[in-house]
Amino acid sequence: MVVLDEFNSMEAAWLRPALLDCCDVPEWADALLDARPYPDLDSLLGTAEQLAGALRPEAVERALAAHPRIGERAPGSGRGASWSREEQSRIDADVETAAALRSANRLYEKRFGRVFLICATGLTSSEVLAALLLRLGNDPETEAAVVAVELRKIALLRLRRVVVPA
């Protein structure tokens, strides 16, 4: 965690890995770094959100590859894996709900060709399952837009863990 003044002045090479843990899209991280200095945290977050909103579909797919299936724990001891486990910490499903999540995940992946992504922070297993089942009814274009919104939410949530106000 760094304060905004440090973020504005640190070497990009030190910050880039943390930004990639927020959203694994090098163009996003580099553009965020190139736009420094930021006068306040809201400016940084606004720029991050704007850049994430402009990601091309292939960049979104790259970012999705860094996320485990919902209901599964990210392996490893890295910062991104740790954040993922914390974000999904309320998803401790009973056997029946866990089975339903696995089944719905498979249906989603078959329908849309990617992992189901949701900003799971604070959500229960039942809430995630309900959202997954609801989103299975989306057409591909609508779902792509929803995925982009969820990815932005996660990136901003994680960025707030990296940079704090002065």
Side-chain angles (χ1 to χ4, degrees):
M1 191 177 315
V2 298
V3 295
L4 183 63
D5 291 340
E6 293 171 324
F7 182 85
N8 282 332
S9 62
M10 283 179 86
E11 286 288 323
W14 287 95
L15 293 170
R16 194 171 192 264
L19 294 177
L20 292 174
D21 283 336
C22 295
C23 181
D24 191 17
V25 177
E27 299 84 11
W28 178 83
D30 293 341
L32 204 54
L33 290 167
D34 290 345
R36 294 181 300 170
Y38 296 95
D40 52 47
L41 186 57
D42 286 341
S43 297
L44 169 61
L45 295 171
T47 301
E49 184 170 16
Q50 181 181 23
L51 291 169
L55 292 176
R56 296 178 325 277
E58 57 273 11
V60 171
E61 293 303 320
R62 177 193 166 103
L64 288 176
H67 291 272
R69 283 187 182 98
I70 198 76
E72 294 181 4
R73 300 295 184 231
S77 59
R79 180 179 34 230
S82 175
W83 286 345
S84 178
R85 287 189 295 271
E86 287 176 36
E87 292 158 4
Q88 291 197 42
S89 65
R90 292 196 60 203
I91 302 175
D92 290 325
D94 56 70
V95 174
E96 186 176 306
T97 306
L101 271 172
R102 283 191 302 277
S103 176
N105 270 323
R106 284 191 300 275
L107 289 171
Y108 183 93
E109 290 172 14
K110 184 176 180 182
R111 175 156 167 67
F112 295 110
R114 62 177 162 264
V115 298
F116 172 75
L117 185 75
I118 189 168
C119 184
T121 300
L123 299 179
T124 65
S125 303
S126 297
E127 291 168 326
V128 170
L129 179 59
L132 200 165
L133 294 172
L134 181 67
R135 286 173 49 190
L136 278 168
N138 286 345
D139 60 73
E141 295 77 26
T142 300
E143 184 56 21
V146 173
V147 167
V149 168
E150 294 298 317
L151 183 62
R152 280 197 306 272
K153 287 181 192 175
I154 294 167
L156 292 175
L157 177 77
R158 290 178 175 190
L159 185 56
R160 285 184 181 98
R161 296 176 119 175
V162 172
V163 184
V164 295

